[in-house]
Amino acid sequence: MKHNPLVTNGLSIAFGLLFLASLIGQAFSGLAYFNEQQVSANLEEISFLQYVTSSTFAVDVTENWQSEYLQFLLFIVLTVWLVQRGSPESKEIERRGAESDEDQLIGRHAKPESPAWARAGGLKTALYSNSLGLVMGTVFVLSWLAQSVTGFSAYAADQLTNLQDPGTWGEYLGSAEFWNRTLQNWQSEFLAVLSMVILSVYLRQRGSPESKPVGAPHGETSVEG
């Protein structure tokens, strides 16, 4: 049975639109807040284009991106080995680890419709077997570096406005300013994952794959509703 692409891709489309809407909203609200500060300091207001191409906007965006990708990177990698009894976010306790080639449909165990690199063997299969974590890790590192560079640029501009020495990028990486911005995002991401893992043991959302079936026992692990 053929389905409408809007139906089969509804989740990615919905979150893509939500992402764009929130990013645009952040840009306009950030510009308004920035210009309020400019007026308070008797400085000239800037345009929308100037704001969205500024280090101030870039650091606010990238510091959230890096924390989100760090969250998913750690969750993807840690759930290979760590489990949580009763949580649908965990795999079965007996399946801890990388699992066998047969379980993972690798090499001679691959199905006809399996990705080509799952059947290839060697380096290709090894890379493909860890491709999700590698890509998430790469995006995290790049966005973290982008945050550090744009954050330093914004910090340096503030320091120079106040006739103070901005220091170097390396000094900024060890500063309280940088780690305060970074850790306040990390702790919120870790709390969100912790809450999801634990609450999904005891609470339900009917029809959601992130929840167990409503009638599933609390101790049942790796079951989706």
Side-chain angles (χ1 to χ4, degrees), residues 67-79 82 84 87-90 185-201 210:
S67 63
E68 294 291 345
Y69 279 97
L70 175 63
Q71 172 199 155
F72 282 113
L73 169 64
L74 292 178
F75 192 68
I76 290 166
V77 173
L78 292 180
T79 51
L82 303 181
Q84 177 61 53
S87 177
E89 302 299 322
S90 166
N185 284 280
W186 287 6
Q187 56 85 15
S188 64
E189 302 301 338
F190 298 152
L191 176 62
V193 174
L194 173 63
S195 300
M196 185 65 180
V197 169
I198 298 298
L199 292 177
S200 61
V201 175
E210 300 304 315

Short mmCIF file of all heavy atoms in Angstrom, two decimals, residues 67-79 82 84 87-90 185-201 210:
data_model
loop_
_atom_site.label_atom_id
_atom_site.label_comp_id
_atom_site.label_asym_id
_atom_site.label_seq_id
_atom_site.Cartn_x
_atom_site.Cartn_y
_atom_site.Cartn_z
N SER A 67 25.09 21.34 22.67
CA SER A 67 24.58 20.61 23.83
C SER A 67 23.57 19.54 23.41
O SER A 67 23.53 18.45 23.98
CB SER A 67 23.95 21.57 24.84
OG SER A 67 22.82 22.23 24.30
N GLU A 68 22.77 19.84 22.39
CA GLU A 68 21.80 18.86 21.90
C GLU A 68 22.51 17.66 21.27
O GLU A 68 22.14 16.51 21.53
CB GLU A 68 20.86 19.51 20.87
CG GLU A 68 19.95 20.58 21.42
CD GLU A 68 18.89 20.05 22.36
OE1 GLU A 68 18.66 18.82 22.38
OE2 GLU A 68 18.27 20.85 23.07
N TYR A 69 23.51 17.93 20.45
CA TYR A 69 24.22 16.84 19.80
C TYR A 69 25.07 16.05 20.79
O TYR A 69 25.25 14.84 20.63
CB TYR A 69 25.04 17.36 18.63
CG TYR A 69 24.21 17.57 17.40
CD1 TYR A 69 23.71 18.82 17.07
CD2 TYR A 69 23.88 16.50 16.57
CE1 TYR A 69 22.91 19.01 15.94
CE2 TYR A 69 23.09 16.67 15.44
CZ TYR A 69 22.61 17.93 15.14
OH TYR A 69 21.81 18.10 14.03
N LEU A 70 25.57 16.71 21.81
CA LEU A 70 26.29 15.98 22.87
C LEU A 70 25.33 15.03 23.58
O LEU A 70 25.68 13.88 23.87
CB LEU A 70 26.90 16.96 23.88
CG LEU A 70 27.56 16.30 25.10
CD1 LEU A 70 28.74 15.43 24.67
CD2 LEU A 70 27.99 17.35 26.10
N GLN A 71 24.13 15.52 23.86
CA GLN A 71 23.12 14.69 24.52
C GLN A 71 22.84 13.42 23.72
O GLN A 71 22.88 12.31 24.25
CB GLN A 71 21.82 15.48 24.68
CG GLN A 71 20.65 14.66 25.19
CD GLN A 71 19.30 15.32 24.92
OE1 GLN A 71 18.27 14.66 24.84
NE2 GLN A 71 19.27 16.63 24.78
N PHE A 72 22.59 13.58 22.42
CA PHE A 72 22.28 12.43 21.58
C PHE A 72 23.49 11.53 21.39
O PHE A 72 23.36 10.30 21.36
CB PHE A 72 21.73 12.88 20.23
CG PHE A 72 20.30 13.31 20.29
CD1 PHE A 72 19.94 14.63 20.07
CD2 PHE A 72 19.29 12.39 20.57
CE1 PHE A 72 18.61 15.03 20.13
CE2 PHE A 72 17.96 12.77 20.63
CZ PHE A 72 17.62 14.10 20.41
N LEU A 73 24.67 12.12 21.27
CA LEU A 73 25.89 11.32 21.13
C LEU A 73 26.07 10.41 22.34
O LEU A 73 26.28 9.19 22.19
CB LEU A 73 27.10 12.23 20.97
CG LEU A 73 28.48 11.55 21.08
CD1 LEU A 73 28.66 10.55 19.94
CD2 LEU A 73 29.59 12.58 21.08
N LEU A 74 25.98 10.97 23.52
CA LEU A 74 26.17 10.18 24.73
C LEU A 74 25.06 9.15 24.89
O LEU A 74 25.32 8.00 25.29
CB LEU A 74 26.21 11.10 25.96
CG LEU A 74 27.43 12.01 26.06
CD1 LEU A 74 27.33 12.91 27.29
CD2 LEU A 74 28.72 11.19 26.12
N PHE A 75 23.83 9.52 24.57
CA PHE A 75 22.72 8.57 24.71
C PHE A 75 22.88 7.40 23.74
O PHE A 75 22.66 6.24 24.10
CB PHE A 75 21.39 9.29 24.46
CG PHE A 75 20.19 8.47 24.85
CD1 PHE A 75 19.93 8.19 26.18
CD2 PHE A 75 19.33 7.96 23.89
CE1 PHE A 75 18.83 7.42 26.56
CE2 PHE A 75 18.23 7.21 24.25
CZ PHE A 75 17.98 6.93 25.59
N ILE A 76 23.27 7.70 22.50
CA ILE A 76 23.47 6.66 21.49
C ILE A 76 24.57 5.70 21.92
O ILE A 76 24.43 4.48 21.83
CB ILE A 76 23.81 7.29 20.13
CG1 ILE A 76 22.57 7.99 19.55
CG2 ILE A 76 24.33 6.25 19.15
CD1 ILE A 76 22.88 8.92 18.40
N VAL A 77 25.70 6.24 22.38
CA VAL A 77 26.85 5.41 22.73
C VAL A 77 26.65 4.68 24.05
O VAL A 77 26.91 3.47 24.16
CB VAL A 77 28.13 6.27 22.78
CG1 VAL A 77 29.31 5.44 23.30
CG2 VAL A 77 28.45 6.83 21.39
N LEU A 78 26.16 5.36 25.07
CA LEU A 78 26.02 4.74 26.39
C LEU A 78 24.96 3.65 26.41
O LEU A 78 25.09 2.68 27.17
CB LEU A 78 25.70 5.81 27.44
CG LEU A 78 26.82 6.81 27.74
CD1 LEU A 78 26.37 7.81 28.80
CD2 LEU A 78 28.08 6.09 28.22
N THR A 79 23.92 3.79 25.58
CA THR A 79 22.87 2.76 25.58
C THR A 79 23.30 1.47 24.90
O THR A 79 22.57 0.48 24.92
CB THR A 79 21.58 3.28 24.91
OG1 THR A 79 21.91 3.84 23.62
CG2 THR A 79 20.90 4.33 25.77
N LEU A 82 24.92 0.40 28.63
CA LEU A 82 24.17 0.66 29.86
C LEU A 82 22.68 0.46 29.63
O LEU A 82 22.16 0.81 28.56
CB LEU A 82 24.44 2.08 30.36
CG LEU A 82 25.92 2.43 30.61
CD1 LEU A 82 26.04 3.86 31.12
CD2 LEU A 82 26.57 1.45 31.58
N GLN A 84 18.51 0.35 31.56
CA GLN A 84 17.67 0.82 32.65
C GLN A 84 16.45 -0.09 32.72
O GLN A 84 15.61 -0.07 31.81
CB GLN A 84 17.23 2.27 32.44
CG GLN A 84 16.30 2.80 33.51
CD GLN A 84 16.93 2.78 34.89
OE1 GLN A 84 18.02 3.32 35.08
NE2 GLN A 84 16.26 2.16 35.86
N SER A 87 12.61 0.61 31.32
CA SER A 87 12.50 1.78 30.44
C SER A 87 12.44 1.37 28.97
O SER A 87 13.24 0.55 28.52
CB SER A 87 13.69 2.72 30.64
OG SER A 87 13.61 3.81 29.74
N PRO A 88 11.52 1.95 28.19
CA PRO A 88 11.50 1.69 26.75
C PRO A 88 12.68 2.34 26.04
O PRO A 88 12.94 2.05 24.87
CB PRO A 88 10.16 2.30 26.30
CG PRO A 88 9.88 3.37 27.30
CD PRO A 88 10.42 2.85 28.60
N GLU A 89 13.38 3.26 26.73
CA GLU A 89 14.56 3.91 26.16
C GLU A 89 15.79 3.03 26.27
O GLU A 89 16.86 3.38 25.77
CB GLU A 89 14.82 5.25 26.88
CG GLU A 89 13.67 6.23 26.84
CD GLU A 89 13.31 6.62 25.41
OE1 GLU A 89 14.23 6.78 24.59
OE2 GLU A 89 12.11 6.75 25.13
N SER A 90 15.67 1.90 26.94
CA SER A 90 16.78 0.96 27.14
C SER A 90 16.52 -0.30 26.36
O SER A 90 15.37 -0.70 26.14
CB SER A 90 16.92 0.64 28.62
OG SER A 90 17.75 -0.50 28.82
N ASN A 185 23.85 24.63 29.56
CA ASN A 185 23.15 23.87 28.54
C ASN A 185 23.32 22.37 28.76
O ASN A 185 22.36 21.60 28.62
CB ASN A 185 23.66 24.25 27.14
CG ASN A 185 23.13 25.58 26.68
OD1 ASN A 185 22.00 25.67 26.21
ND2 ASN A 185 23.92 26.61 26.82
N TRP A 186 24.51 21.94 29.11
CA TRP A 186 24.75 20.51 29.32
C TRP A 186 23.88 19.95 30.43
O TRP A 186 23.27 18.89 30.28
CB TRP A 186 26.23 20.26 29.63
CG TRP A 186 27.14 20.42 28.44
CD1 TRP A 186 26.81 20.85 27.19
CD2 TRP A 186 28.54 20.14 28.41
NE1 TRP A 186 27.91 20.88 26.38
CE2 TRP A 186 28.99 20.45 27.09
CE3 TRP A 186 29.45 19.68 29.35
CZ2 TRP A 186 30.32 20.29 26.71
CZ3 TRP A 186 30.78 19.53 28.97
CH2 TRP A 186 31.21 19.82 27.66
N GLN A 187 23.82 20.65 31.55
CA GLN A 187 23.07 20.10 32.69
C GLN A 187 21.59 19.96 32.37
O GLN A 187 20.93 19.00 32.79
CB GLN A 187 23.30 20.95 33.95
CG GLN A 187 22.97 22.43 33.85
CD GLN A 187 21.51 22.75 34.11
OE1 GLN A 187 20.77 21.91 34.64
NE2 GLN A 187 21.09 23.95 33.77
N SER A 188 21.05 20.88 31.57
CA SER A 188 19.62 20.78 31.23
C SER A 188 19.36 19.61 30.29
O SER A 188 18.33 18.93 30.40
CB SER A 188 19.14 22.09 30.59
OG SER A 188 19.80 22.34 29.36
N GLU A 189 20.30 19.34 29.37
CA GLU A 189 20.15 18.21 28.45
C GLU A 189 20.23 16.88 29.21
O GLU A 189 19.44 15.96 28.96
CB GLU A 189 21.22 18.25 27.36
CG GLU A 189 21.25 19.51 26.53
CD GLU A 189 19.96 19.78 25.80
OE1 GLU A 189 19.17 18.83 25.58
OE2 GLU A 189 19.73 20.94 25.42
N PHE A 190 21.19 16.77 30.13
CA PHE A 190 21.34 15.54 30.89
C PHE A 190 20.13 15.30 31.79
O PHE A 190 19.68 14.15 31.95
CB PHE A 190 22.62 15.59 31.73
CG PHE A 190 23.88 15.70 30.91
CD1 PHE A 190 25.01 16.31 31.44
CD2 PHE A 190 23.94 15.20 29.62
CE1 PHE A 190 26.17 16.42 30.70
CE2 PHE A 190 25.09 15.31 28.86
CZ PHE A 190 26.22 15.92 29.40
N LEU A 191 19.58 16.37 32.35
CA LEU A 191 18.39 16.23 33.18
C LEU A 191 17.21 15.76 32.36
O LEU A 191 16.43 14.90 32.80
CB LEU A 191 18.06 17.57 33.85
CG LEU A 191 16.78 17.59 34.70
CD1 LEU A 191 16.88 16.61 35.85
CD2 LEU A 191 16.49 19.00 35.20
N ALA A 192 17.06 16.28 31.13
CA ALA A 192 15.95 15.89 30.27
C ALA A 192 16.02 14.40 29.93
O ALA A 192 15.01 13.69 29.96
CB ALA A 192 15.96 16.73 28.99
N VAL A 193 17.23 13.92 29.59
CA VAL A 193 17.39 12.50 29.26
C VAL A 193 17.12 11.63 30.49
O VAL A 193 16.42 10.61 30.42
CB VAL A 193 18.80 12.22 28.71
CG1 VAL A 193 19.00 10.71 28.53
CG2 VAL A 193 19.00 12.92 27.38
N LEU A 194 17.67 12.03 31.63
CA LEU A 194 17.45 11.30 32.88
C LEU A 194 15.96 11.20 33.19
O LEU A 194 15.45 10.12 33.53
CB LEU A 194 18.18 11.98 34.03
CG LEU A 194 17.91 11.43 35.44
CD1 LEU A 194 18.37 9.98 35.55
CD2 LEU A 194 18.58 12.31 36.48
N SER A 195 15.25 12.30 33.04
CA SER A 195 13.81 12.31 33.31
C SER A 195 13.06 11.38 32.38
O SER A 195 12.17 10.64 32.80
CB SER A 195 13.26 13.74 33.17
OG SER A 195 13.90 14.62 34.06
N MET A 196 13.43 11.40 31.09
CA MET A 196 12.75 10.55 30.12
C MET A 196 12.99 9.07 30.42
O MET A 196 12.07 8.26 30.38
CB MET A 196 13.27 10.88 28.71
CG MET A 196 12.56 10.14 27.60
SD MET A 196 10.82 10.63 27.47
CE MET A 196 10.31 9.59 26.11
N VAL A 197 14.23 8.73 30.75
CA VAL A 197 14.57 7.33 31.03
C VAL A 197 13.82 6.81 32.25
O VAL A 197 13.27 5.71 32.24
CB VAL A 197 16.10 7.19 31.24
CG1 VAL A 197 16.44 5.81 31.79
CG2 VAL A 197 16.83 7.43 29.92
N ILE A 198 13.77 7.61 33.32
CA ILE A 198 13.16 7.16 34.58
C ILE A 198 11.63 7.25 34.53
O ILE A 198 10.93 6.30 34.90
CB ILE A 198 13.70 7.98 35.76
CG1 ILE A 198 15.21 7.77 35.92
CG2 ILE A 198 12.97 7.59 37.05
CD1 ILE A 198 15.60 6.34 36.20
N LEU A 199 11.10 8.36 34.05
CA LEU A 199 9.65 8.55 34.05
C LEU A 199 8.95 7.55 33.13
O LEU A 199 7.82 7.13 33.40
CB LEU A 199 9.28 9.98 33.65
CG LEU A 199 9.68 11.07 34.65
CD1 LEU A 199 9.32 12.44 34.10
CD2 LEU A 199 9.01 10.85 36.00
N SER A 200 9.63 7.15 32.04
CA SER A 200 9.01 6.20 31.11
C SER A 200 8.92 4.79 31.70
O SER A 200 8.23 3.94 31.14
CB SER A 200 9.79 6.15 29.79
OG SER A 200 11.13 5.73 30.00
N VAL A 201 9.57 4.55 32.83
CA VAL A 201 9.42 3.27 33.52
C VAL A 201 8.02 3.17 34.12
O VAL A 201 7.37 2.12 34.07
CB VAL A 201 10.48 3.11 34.63
CG1 VAL A 201 10.24 1.83 35.44
CG2 VAL A 201 11.88 3.11 34.04
N GLU A 210 7.78 6.09 22.27
CA GLU A 210 8.66 6.47 23.38
C GLU A 210 8.10 5.98 24.71
O GLU A 210 8.71 6.23 25.76
CB GLU A 210 8.83 7.99 23.42
CG GLU A 210 9.44 8.58 22.16
CD GLU A 210 10.78 7.96 21.82
OE1 GLU A 210 11.60 7.80 22.74
OE2 GLU A 210 11.00 7.61 20.65
#
